Amino acid sequence: RKVFKKNHVNVDTFYYYPLASLEEDDIFVDKFEKKISSGSYDYVFSVNYIPVVAIACHNKNIPYVSWSYDNPLNISHIENTLYFPTNYVFLFDKSQALGYISQGFDHIWHLPLAVDTSYYDAFKPSKKEWSQYKSQISFVGQIYNSTYPQIIVPLDEFERKYLDSLINVQTDLYGSFVIDNYLNDDILERVNSCYREKLTDKNFQVTKKKLSYSMSTYVTFKERVAILTLLSKKFDVALYSGDEHPLLTAARQCGRVDYSTEMPYVFKCSDINLNITLKCLQTGIPLRALDIMGCGGFLLSNYQEEFLDYFVPNEDFVYYEDFKDAYAKADFYLKNDTLRQQIARNGYEKIKNNFTYEERF
């Protein structure tokens, strides 16, 4: 709202909660159509793409602009509305945007996320905050309770081994997402055939999108647990997450932190801030990484292709190539305060100058 106001755009906010579904809610569509018909609106804007908003805007021929920070969008039948000519959909992951464009959706664009550094600049840790949030290494994020272990229970040996091998390959692979390439029609049919044969619910089946996401969260779970376990053997590691894990006994499991009021202190008071990206986010820079740099924190991240479009490795941020490399680089930069702090300052300046909401607007 601050950026809209700064650019002399008047904004009305429509409050409606809860939605019956992001994809189907006739009551919401009716109420929202009446709302946008009651005034002279140039367009509707939302954070993340919401199909029922797209439906209402399409029915009333009003442009609908959305900018998503989620990947994947986790909308089962997004293709049913994504083609509307009234849509203007901006996605922060370039590969996701190009994927939809290649399918013929021509109202999709790539737009990286943004950070309000002036908001984060106002967070100046006192002795109390330093005492509460200080750590050598911190990670803010989910550990993920993936559905994958449950999904493979009814499968025969071949299907289980096939999917497990994909999990193992993806776990060791950085800079490329291969799961989707090998979830072909044949393996999906074999998987669903097992479900039809062994489950009491004969209508249950898994789509490629759902299976891919489940496998991605499981790979991410494995990576996050492995890296945090390895690092916490030597360093003071603070985990801020709603998910606790029994294997992470050496890490300080600190529970959730509020995104707006507590998270900036974590990033400012940690020597190293980890970004371990959800695997199905193929090329884009996640918001967590931008927030870390926007707070002036030192970022140690897995490799993501789009980092290199804007940042210089080992100058603005640092990326690791595997588990052992993450450990080695954490060890090195914890021993080199001046270099680490300079990299954090460089990253902050890049965010401040190139990742503003004004520029994105």
Side-chain angles (χ1 to χ4, degrees), residues 220-240:
T220 307
F221 156 77
K222 289 180 63 180
E223 180 179 3
R224 291 182 177 181
V225 169
I227 289 179
L228 292 169
T229 299
L230 182 63
L231 291 174
S232 60
K233 287 180 179 179
K234 180 176 181 180
F235 309 114
D236 170 37
V237 175
L239 169 64
Y240 296 91

Side-chain angles (χ1 to χ4, degrees), residues 2 13 28 30 40 52-53 78 106 143 170-171 186 209 212 335 357:
K2 184 166 72 174
T13 303
F28 169 84
D30 179 65
S40 299
V52 289
V53 175
I78 192 171
D106 56 3
I143 297 300
Q170 188 65 73
T171 300
D186 178 62
K209 186 183 296 185
S212 175
K335 293 175 179 176
Y357 282 99

Side-chain angles (χ1 to χ4, degrees), residues 143 237-241 243-256:
I143 297 300
V237 175
L239 169 64
Y240 296 91
S241 176
D243 308 317
E244 292 192 5
H245 197 277
L247 291 178
L248 297 173
T249 54
R252 289 191 288 120
Q253 302 194 48
C254 305
R256 295 183 187 275

